[in-house]
Amino acid sequence: VLSPLSSNLIREGHIEEGQSRPPASRMEALLSASRLKDYVDAHGGKRVLKRILIANNGMAATKAIMSMRQWAFLELGSQSELEFVVMASKDDLEANAEFIRLADAYVEVPPGKNTNNYANVNLIVQTAIKERVDAVWPGWGHASENPALPKALSEAGIVFMGPTAPVMHALGDKIASTILAQSSKVPCIPWNGDGIMAEIQSDGSIPEEPFKKACLQSYEEALECVRRIGYPVVLKASEGGGGKGIRKCTNDEELKVGWEQVTAEVVGSPIFMMQLCTGARHLEVQLVGDEYGQVVALIGRDCSTQRRFQKIFEEGPPTVADKDDFREAEKAAQRLAMSVGYRGAGTVEYLYKPENKGFYFLELNPRLQVEHPVTEGITGVNVPALQLQIGMGIPLERVPDIRRFYGIDPNGDSKIDFLEDKYIYPDRHVIAARITAENPDDAFRPTSGRIERVRFQSSPNCWGYFSIGHSGAIHEFADSQFGHLFASGPTREHARKALQLALKNILIVGEIRNPTEYLVELAETEEFKDNTIDTAWLDKLIAEKAVNVKFNVNDMVFYGACLKSFLHMQAQKEEIIDGMKRGHLPLESTLNLLQSFQVEIAYNSVKYNFQVLCTGPDTFCLTINDCDIEARFRRQPDGSLYVRAGDRVAQISGVEEPMAMRLRVEGRGTLTFPKVRDPSELRSDFNGKLVRYLHADGADIKEGEPFVELEAMKMIMSLRTTVAGTIHHTLAPGAIVGAGDLLATLTLADPSKVQMIKAFSGPFSLSNTGPEMSMSPQGSAADLLAMAGPSITEAISGVLCGYSAPRHLSGGGTSTVGIVQQIFSSIDEADGLSMSDALEECCKLIGTFLENERFFAGLVGGDETQTIKRFQGDPEDLLGKIMAHTNLSMAVGIITSILRSLSDGPVLEGEVAALPPCLLTQLEELSKFPGAGGYGPVKLLAAQLLTQMKKPLALRREEVHSMLIDTPRKDLPKVANAYDAERRMYFGLDLISSFFSDSDNSVRTKAAEVFILRTYRGYTISDMEIVDSKEVIDGTPGAVLHLQWSFSPPGVVGSHRKGYAIVVPSMEDLESLGKSWKMPATELTDVHILVAKVPGDKSAMKHGEVVKALASKTADLMSKIAGLLDEKKAQYVDVLLAHAGRSPSHLHFLKTHGWKEVETYRNMRATLPKLIELPRIEAKYNMTPLQHGRVFALDLGVSKADKKTEVIFARGSSHLVLTTD
């Protein structure tokens, strides 16, 4: 709270809170006092002001301390020459206000409204006396224009750094100053006090009678006055300012409401009315007077860019008026101030009519104004430091900054005639922008809340001041302005562009809204660039919503969905972790919300519904109307997110608010997505206090009519209804409300007139979308192959960790098993992608599975309920493992697919030496997993693969070859039905099919018979007949072998079906079957065509293309022999394609499908579809494959009867003895 040195001393017990920071030594204190006194004496001053109370907060206090410290360092060589004591309310302390940090000491004052603290004259005076200060700096707002403050301080012997009480009362009061101005023949706008004159009294005040005569005492008086001067008018409180206590009125109804609001905003202030001067500019002259009767005019400012009389942009010097004309306005202001002995900083405001070059007196503000840094930028005069020196009694003409302004020796003592001598006209233009906590999307309503950080990079022509630092806040009693940016340039246009760059580069993160993006667009309007605006210009733009931040709606909606998805995930995880800390495991339904959920974004009466799949710890797939966009997130230390979609990266941040979600996209702007609300509920849009309802409870109210007044940020604001109805109050006046709180309910007059929110329809795409940005939901393996291998691995790793599979991995009938096999698709030696690269990826995936499941595998056998108790890590780590374990069945499918791919690929091909060393260790661990708990398939395959790895393919082929030679034909059924793990591998169908092309006819024949025997192990086989007679062979050119057999389901008597198989050497021979094929004379049920040797490729991508081409040729054959098959009463044809060095392909053709291939059965074992009754199920259900393998099928079925009943069918076939070991 204090400066670092003061904080340390308090902790060590050397000083008490409220005391100043002591100098390092008595000598330093003496030197400091000496330097300051020497300066005062050298420049004709009367008193030393060292210890100063800042009777203000926010921007005013921050700027004052910074400016006076800067002066002390530059002029005296040390910032410690001055000591600053600040008043600090509890609200400002909790808001981490910057001015408290800058001060040497603070005094805590009561919280709440400023009448409790910064505007409390008695409190300020007592604090000044207690803290033994030399002077009080009032700033602007609060008590800065209250004559009681300088009067009380003068009586206490403390310098007030501003005008004397009588002068402040006369000129500071807008009514009195206007009377004095028209008495001095200064042109004034028609107002309720027209013609009232007053002589200036010796104490600088005016008589009470003319003053009261110029005040409006009631609404009725105001109504009578407006009949004379005419609408439009401005109703003003003389003690108001900064946009408070002022209302524009264009009719009697607005006048009545305006009267009530003005009197409520500035309680007890005199009220007056003036005609609204249309088409005018707001120009002002900066004055500073000393105690010797001199007044200097520090040029002036143009403050015509106003919203509800609140300045937005300020600039100087005023270029809209001629220099000579403006100089005359300066002189008039100087004479007015000199006539009353004005001391300190003040501002005379004029309305200027460009068409007739006329100036009209508006008011004199007897205080420093917010925009004074514009004057500093064009004159080089440090205004708060000038106030300090005036307070020390230094004459204006002896102040170095003033002398520099006039181009004379800064250390000289020559006289200056401030009315006649010419100053050096500035060669720079300065434009300022106020940074406020206001919402430009909602008529600039003030907002309050935390500010996490403000980032602004200054440059030689851009600078700024901020009253809020890191982790600060704007509380409900604070002024909405917390920053001020300034830009300069040799011309107005240069300054304008520099200001736009400064506004674009500022970053404000927190709960509040701010208008920086709006101001960038405002400065880009043609009227502002051409300098043709007037004081009503901005209000008109706001009413017409003519200025909007430009952005692509779909882009912002997408980033809003990304932010909402991220916030959803964070909230879900926090809730689950909180429950686990209390001993509760998450429900499966809760975990499902970490995998898949919906987010809704509403904008401009359109609702965008996104289905979101969380595909990894930092990846999402967002789908809307069958359009997919994949996004990767990276959370930054500052809480923002980098979102990557395709080749674009955006930095986003935002927050969920009670009534909306606010999104900021760096470099594009801020957008608010309102939550879909019930129109019968009238809720508050901001924090504040309910002042009053504008309609009685139960009264009828029109659409767009104000229904309540709230006080926020020291202003009274009305809220309007969006529909007509009967109002019902829910709160009492004086109630404190927050954003989103229910203020009233409406019984709708006509519910049919309520505007409906429409769902977004049509395709959804981002601007400059590349092909990779939006993928079809019918993505196939071919789509997948466009991704790099590591991306595939990441997606599969996400599934292993409990996340969803991306739609382009799981959609369009592409099974996860098939996708896993695509890891090997990137193998292309020409491109430097080797088998070892793919194997490394497999090891990573198996390692992920082990890391996730090792803990749960250890619980199998009785400790499954002790998950939380047995886990030794953090709850966050346990949540990750629980998520992964929830996906166990899919993870097992992935790992078994990897193990099969290894078995069918590098291990089958004898490339054991190429396997990574870690793989053997991983397989050994997997083989020791329990058979129960869902780990059985992984355990079994790992054990088999270990055996395969220990026996090279060449040796296995040699052993099988020997067995086929040595085994008599009568013993082949025993060999074929062997079920032990080792023999199952020796006589696996894939390996057996590789002998169909053996040069030994006996080996070919036995291999074919074993193949059929193993394929039909689920049936009772009889009458196996091998036909190799010359007559039959010659009848089917290209055939080398024919087999016939009878089969029936086990236990079924008298139901013999006929099977038939033909072995052909190549695809050319297969194609020749369409010309001449002599089938057996009997009727057939199943037909097998075994092609002994067909092309293949090591690259999965190229191999897939090969299989596709072979399938097309086979389909052509089937269309030619369909009649022959029908003649034989055949029902089913299996075509086996034996690829060299790869597992064989199986193509299935059914009569029920018109002898077309059933692609969903592709690569299933020949009899599997019938064994697991898929055709029977498909008769009743429309089936969507989820995952298919050689011996199992997982499908989603939708009933053909009611079109909605869904059933998941998981079926498989095994000839092994099932155990739980």
Side-chain angles (χ1 to χ4, degrees):
V1 176
L2 307 179
S3 62
L5 176 58
S6 296
S7 298
N8 291 337
L9 289 170
I10 286 180
R11 284 194 294 268
E12 294 167 8
H14 297 302
I15 64 174
E16 299 295 329
E17 179 187 313
Q19 291 185 355
S20 65
R21 174 180 56 202
S25 65
R26 181 172 179 80
M27 180 60 69
E28 182 179 334
L30 292 174
L31 288 174
S32 175
S34 175
R35 282 194 294 263
L36 187 57
K37 186 177 187 306
D38 289 346
Y39 179 87
V40 172
D41 292 342
H43 292 81
K46 293 182 177 180
R47 63 193 73 87
V48 173
L49 303 180
K50 180 177 178 63
R51 189 169 171 85
I52 301 161
L53 173 65
I54 305 297
N56 215 301
N57 66 341
M59 282 294 301
T62 301
K63 175 61 170 60
I65 296 173
M66 292 175 64
S67 293
M68 285 188 268
R69 279 227 176 101
Q70 180 189 42
W71 171 82
F73 182 79
L74 295 177
E75 290 289 348
L76 308 177
S78 172
Q79 293 186 12
S80 61
E81 302 300 326
L82 302 175
E83 297 175 6
F84 294 98
V85 180
V86 297
M87 303 164 63
S89 70
K90 179 183 178 182
D91 309 291
D92 281 326
L93 286 166
E94 292 179 349
N96 196 25
E98 186 75 358
F99 76 93
I100 303 174
R101 182 188 67 82
L102 293 173
D104 295 282
Y106 76 84
V107 176
E108 186 167 353
V109 293
K113 289 186 174 182
N114 67 350
T115 52
N116 299 339
N117 38 67
Y118 306 108
N120 188 318
V121 170
N122 184 61
L123 177 64
I124 295 171
V125 174
Q126 292 304 315
T127 301
I129 295 172
K130 180 181 178 182
E131 292 299 317
R132 301 185 299 279
V133 301
D134 303 314
V136 171
W137 184 86
W140 52 83
H142 299 312
S144 62
E145 296 182 63
N146 189 337
L149 180 58
K151 182 176 185 298
L153 289 173
S154 177
E155 293 170 353
I158 298 172
V159 173
F160 176 75
M161 292 168 64
T164 61
V167 172
M168 178 183 287
H169 185 274
L171 288 182
D173 185 276
K174 296 174 177 63
I175 297 173
S177 63
T178 305
I179 293 174
L180 290 174
Q182 66 186 12
S183 298
S184 301
K185 309 303 182 184
V186 177
C188 297
I189 300 170
W191 66 302
N192 65 288
D194 281 339
I196 298 176
M197 300 291 183
E199 295 290 334
I200 299 174
Q201 299 182 136
S202 58
D203 61 358
S205 65
I206 65 171
E208 184 177 358
E209 182 180 348
F211 180 82
K212 286 186 175 180
K213 189 177 180 181
C215 295
L216 295 172
Q217 304 299 328
S218 66
Y219 162 69
E220 288 72 24
E221 278 191 29
L223 193 61
E224 180 181 347
C225 178
V226 83
R227 298 287 182 262
R228 176 175 60 82
I229 63 178
Y231 287 114
V233 297
V234 178
L235 199 63
K236 303 176 74 173
S238 65
E239 295 174 7
K244 293 180 289 294
I246 183 169
R247 289 294 186 277
K248 172 186 172 182
C249 308
T250 61
N251 54 53
D252 292 355
E253 184 178 350
E254 289 183 1
L255 183 65
K256 180 175 178 59
V257 173
W259 177 270
E260 294 169 347
Q261 292 180 341
V262 167
T263 54
E265 283 182 357
V266 191
V267 178
S269 171
I271 308 297
F272 69 106
M273 175 198 298
M274 61 174 53
Q275 189 181 74
L276 180 64
C277 186
T278 59
R281 301 291 288 259
H282 179 114
L283 306 185
E284 54 191 38
V285 177
Q286 177 67 66
L287 300 176
V288 180
D290 62 18
E291 60 187 75
Y292 307 104
Q294 301 182 101
V295 177
V296 63
L298 298 176
I299 315 184
R301 301 176 290 261
D302 185 340
C303 303
S304 301
T305 308
Q306 302 179 1
R307 175 194 56 77
R308 285 182 57 201
F309 308 104
Q310 175 74 39
K311 299 163 187 174
I312 301 297
F313 289 147
E314 306 105 350
E315 55 184 295
T319 58
V320 69
D322 294 337
K323 292 181 182 179
D324 293 341
D325 292 339
F326 192 76
R327 180 57 188 145
E328 290 304 314
E330 290 177 349
K331 288 182 179 180
Q334 287 175 275
R335 286 192 293 267
L336 178 60
M338 292 168 65
S339 68
V340 294
Y342 191 87
R343 184 186 71 191
T347 303
V348 171
E349 297 182 352
Y350 290 102
L351 287 179
Y352 175 70
K353 299 280 285 186
E355 61 268 21
N356 62 9
K357 298 184 179 181
F359 284 87
Y360 302 93
F361 178 81
L362 193 59
E363 62 184 3
L364 190 154
N365 288 311
R367 55 171 169 79
L368 191 62
Q369 297 207 167
V370 181
E371 59 271 22
H372 74 271
V374 172
T375 295
E376 295 178 329
I378 60 176
T379 64
V381 176
N382 183 331
V383 179
L386 179 57
Q387 289 180 286
L388 173 65
Q389 293 172 82
I390 294 300
M392 291 179 179
I394 298 175
L396 275 171
E397 59 193 15
R398 298 294 303 277
V399 176
D401 274 358
I402 297 296
R403 299 185 66 82
R404 292 188 188 97
F405 176 53
Y406 277 85
I408 56 180
D409 180 10
N411 296 313
D413 58 1
S414 58
K415 297 291 184 180
I416 301 175
D417 186 336
F418 292 107
L419 282 175
E420 300 301 330
D421 290 352
K422 292 185 178 180
Y423 51 74
I424 299 175
Y425 197 82
D427 59 359
R428 307 288 293 173
H429 195 90
V430 174
I431 305 181
R434 297 191 183 193
I435 309 302
T436 58
E438 295 175 327
N439 184 359
D441 297 328
D442 188 19
F444 284 82
R445 291 189 188 278
T447 62
S448 60
R450 303 296 302 176
I451 297 179
E452 296 175 18
R453 66 189 184 282
V454 176
R455 187 196 70 199
F456 172 71
Q457 301 292 337
S458 60
S459 65
N461 61 345
C462 294
W463 67 97
Y465 306 99
F466 296 89
S467 61
I468 295 295
H470 181 72
S471 299
I474 302 293
H475 55 80
E476 61 179 302
F477 303 106
D479 189 87
S480 64
Q481 184 181 358
F482 65 93
H484 217 166
L485 295 189
F486 303 87
S488 70
T491 66
R492 183 178 184 273
E493 179 62 9
H494 282 90
R496 183 189 69 82
K497 290 180 178 178
L499 180 66
Q500 284 183 300
L501 287 176
L503 289 167
K504 287 181 178 181
N505 290 330
I506 190 173
L507 175 64
I508 301 164
V509 179
E511 298 171 349
I512 64 157
R513 289 297 310 275
N514 70 84
T516 53
E517 293 98 352
Y518 184 93
L519 298 182
V520 171
E521 299 301 325
L522 184 64
E524 189 61 25
T525 57
E526 292 301 320
E527 295 90 341
F528 187 80
K529 288 194 286 187
D530 296 339
N531 202 18
T532 57
I533 63 174
D534 59 32
T535 55
W537 169 69
L538 181 54
D539 282 327
K540 181 181 179 182
L541 291 184
I542 294 173
E544 296 175 350
K545 297 184 178 180
V547 176
N548 295 294
V549 179
K550 299 177 178 62
F551 49 76
N552 180 280
V553 172
N554 279 10
D555 289 356
M556 299 299 277
V557 167
F558 167 69
Y559 289 124
C562 288
L563 177 63
K564 204 163 189 177
S565 299
F566 181 83
L567 295 176
H568 165 87
M569 289 292 292
Q570 293 296 106
Q572 288 293 320
K573 287 183 178 180
E574 289 173 4
E575 181 180 344
I576 292 172
I577 290 172
D578 180 65
M580 289 196 299
K581 288 179 179 178
R582 291 182 281 111
H584 304 300
L585 285 173
L587 299 174
E588 184 176 350
S589 58
T590 304
L591 291 171
N592 289 340
L593 293 176
L594 295 176
Q595 290 186 329
S596 176
F597 50 90
Q598 288 187 336
V599 296
E600 181 182 276
I601 299 291
Y603 184 70
N604 279 351
S605 300
V606 178
K607 184 167 58 177
Y608 300 79
N609 291 311
F610 288 86
Q611 180 64 41
V612 183
L613 296 180
C614 184
T615 57
D618 59 355
T619 54
F620 291 92
C621 180
L622 293 90
T623 302
I624 180 171
N625 294 352
D626 287 336
C627 298
D628 295 349
I629 303 178
E630 292 185 4
R632 181 182 296 274
F633 294 70
R634 178 184 175 88
R635 189 173 191 181
Q636 296 301 102
D638 62 5
S640 66
L641 298 175
Y642 280 119
V643 179
R644 182 180 184 90
D647 58 356
R648 66 173 65 204
V649 177
Q651 185 178 15
I652 69 172
S653 57
V655 64
E656 287 267 18
E657 298 172 342
M659 302 295 288
M661 184 186 75
R662 178 157 44 91
L663 168 74
R664 175 184 171 87
V665 181
E666 187 69 14
R668 301 193 191 184
T670 300
L671 190 63
T672 299
F673 298 104
K675 295 182 179 178
V676 178
R677 65 171 76 177
D678 184 345
S680 68
E681 296 179 346
L682 303 178
R683 296 182 178 273
S684 173
D685 295 327
F686 48 87
N687 301 329
K689 184 178 78 173
L690 195 154
V691 177
R692 61 174 182 147
Y693 288 101
L694 301 179
H695 298 270
D697 190 39
D700 292 334
I701 187 168
K702 299 177 183 178
E703 178 181 346
E705 193 173 1
F707 72 92
V708 72
E709 287 182 347
L710 299 182
E711 179 183 359
M713 312 292 284
K714 302 183 288 185
M715 297 185 69
I716 305 296
M717 287 166 289
S718 302
L719 298 183
R720 298 175 182 269
T721 62
T722 56
V723 293
T726 303
I727 191 170
H728 305 284
H729 302 170
T730 58
L731 298 173
I736 302 300
V737 299
D741 286 357
L742 185 66
L743 302 175
T745 60
L746 276 180
T747 301
L748 302 182
D750 186 355
S752 65
K753 291 185 178 181
V754 176
Q755 184 178 9
M756 303 299 293
I757 303 293
K758 297 181 180 179
F760 175 79
S761 60
F764 185 94
S765 62
L766 305 182
S767 60
N768 301 320
T769 297
E772 71 282 358
M773 287 291 294
S774 183
M775 300 184 65
S776 165
Q778 301 301 316
S780 63
D783 298 321
L784 173 66
L785 299 183
M787 300 172 61
S791 296
I792 300 173
T793 308
E794 282 184 357
I796 299 174
S797 179
V799 177
L800 291 175
C801 291
Y803 297 99
S804 296
R807 295 218 315 163
H808 69 267
L809 286 181
S810 58
T814 303
S815 69
T816 304
V817 172
I819 295 301
V820 169
Q821 294 170 353
Q822 302 303 323
I823 294 175
F824 299 95
S825 68
S826 57
I827 298 174
D828 192 331
E829 300 292 346
D831 293 336
L833 299 171
S834 64
M835 173 64 75
S836 62
D837 295 323
L839 294 176
E840 287 291 343
E841 300 302 325
C842 289
C843 279
K844 291 178 183 177
L845 294 174
I846 296 174
T848 299
F849 177 80
L850 286 168
E851 179 65 27
N852 290 330
E853 296 299 331
R854 189 178 289 120
F855 169 71
F856 292 101
L859 296 179
V860 174
D863 289 337
E864 289 88 346
T865 61
Q866 302 298 311
T867 302
I868 295 178
K869 183 177 181 180
R870 290 279 302 275
F871 190 75
Q872 299 299 312
D874 296 329
E876 292 81 0
D877 297 333
L878 178 57
L879 174 57
K881 297 194 183 304
I882 291 175
M883 285 179 60
H885 191 62
T886 304
N887 253 13
L888 179 61
S889 60
M890 187 172 290
V892 167
I894 290 172
I895 298 303
T896 55
S897 178
I898 290 175
L899 297 181
R900 287 195 184 96
S901 296
L902 292 173
S903 177
D904 294 345
V907 176
L908 180 64
E909 295 162 14
E911 299 181 13
V912 178
L915 298 177
C918 63
L919 183 59
L920 182 61
T921 304
Q922 291 175 338
L923 291 175
E924 289 177 345
E925 183 174 357
L926 287 174
S927 69
K928 295 176 183 177
F929 264 42
Y935 301 111
V938 173
K939 173 184 175 71
L940 179 62
L941 281 171
Q944 293 173 354
L945 192 54
L946 281 172
T947 304
Q948 283 182 280
M949 291 172 64
K950 293 172 183 176
K951 186 164 291 188
L953 177 65
L955 179 58
R956 298 206 313 272
R957 282 186 56 84
E958 183 179 335
E959 289 181 352
V960 172
H961 191 267
S962 298
M963 286 185 180
L964 290 174
I965 292 174
D966 297 340
T967 303
R969 184 172 174 235
K970 64 182 179 61
D971 292 335
L972 288 179
K974 296 180 181 179
V975 174
N977 289 314
Y979 60 81
D980 64 282
E982 188 170 350
R983 283 196 173 277
R984 179 176 179 272
M985 287 187 292
Y986 281 174
F987 288 93
L989 288 176
D990 294 351
L991 187 55
I992 287 295
S993 65
S994 68
F995 290 97
F996 293 166
S997 59
D998 196 90
S999 59
D1000 188 325
N1001 183 60
S1002 173
V1003 171
R1004 289 200 307 269
T1005 302
K1006 289 180 180 179
E1009 185 171 354
V1010 170
F1011 178 85
I1012 295 300
L1013 290 171
R1014 285 186 63 79
T1015 298
Y1016 282 82
R1017 277 179 298 169
Y1019 299 87
T1020 301
I1021 297 179
S1022 61
D1023 303 327
M1024 175 68 74
E1025 179 183 355
I1026 297 175
V1027 181
D1028 55 1
S1029 66
K1030 189 174 186 301
E1031 177 186 354
V1032 176
I1033 296 297
D1034 290 344
T1036 308
V1040 296
L1041 186 66
H1042 295 254
L1043 296 89
Q1044 289 180 243
W1045 66 94
S1046 298
F1047 67 97
S1048 62
V1052 178
V1053 180
S1055 176
H1056 292 290
R1057 305 170 187 174
K1058 294 294 184 180
Y1060 165 70
I1062 181 173
V1063 181
V1064 295
S1066 65
M1067 282 301 297
E1068 291 75 14
D1069 298 311
L1070 174 71
E1071 293 177 62
S1072 69
L1073 294 178
K1075 301 174 183 177
S1076 175
W1077 186 359
K1078 187 174 182 179
M1079 286 188 177
T1082 59
E1083 293 182 355
L1084 303 173
T1085 304
D1086 293 0
V1087 176
H1088 296 263
I1089 304 174
L1090 311 178
V1091 186
K1093 193 171 185 179
V1094 298
D1097 199 286
K1098 283 188 175 182
S1099 167
M1101 179 186 295
K1102 296 177 181 178
H1103 183 69
E1105 294 301 317
V1106 169
V1107 173
K1108 185 177 180 181
L1110 295 176
S1112 178
K1113 291 180 179 181
T1114 306
D1116 292 341
L1117 169 66
M1118 296 304 298
S1119 64
K1120 294 176 182 178
I1121 65 172
L1124 180 60
L1125 294 170
D1126 290 338
E1127 181 183 330
K1128 296 297 181 181
K1129 307 294 186 184
Q1131 301 296 316
Y1132 167 76
V1133 175
D1134 167 59
V1135 180
L1136 179 141
L1137 306 175
H1139 303 282
R1142 296 193 68 98
S1143 297
S1145 298
H1146 286 270
L1147 310 178
H1148 300 261
F1149 299 85
L1150 275 65
K1151 176 178 175 60
T1152 54
H1153 288 65
W1155 295 115
K1156 296 183 184 301
E1157 183 193 2
V1158 184
E1159 293 189 23
T1160 55
Y1161 293 178
R1162 184 177 290 183
N1163 291 331
M1164 287 184 178
R1165 298 298 191 205
T1167 57
L1168 180 66
K1170 288 192 297 182
L1171 282 173
I1172 62 177
E1173 300 178 313
L1174 282 182
R1176 185 179 66 81
I1177 298 173
E1178 288 172 339
K1180 297 182 179 181
Y1181 292 87
N1182 292 315
M1183 303 287 278
T1184 301
L1186 300 177
Q1187 191 169 329
H1188 283 181
R1190 292 186 180 273
V1191 294
F1192 74 94
L1194 182 65
D1195 300 90
L1196 173 64
V1198 179
S1199 172
K1200 292 181 177 180
D1202 60 15
K1203 302 289 192 298
K1204 61 181 180 180
T1205 302
E1206 294 183 344
V1207 179
I1208 290 181
F1209 295 94
R1211 297 192 166 210
S1213 172
S1214 175
H1215 301 283
L1216 297 178
V1217 176
L1218 299 179
T1219 70
T1220 57
D1221 184 14

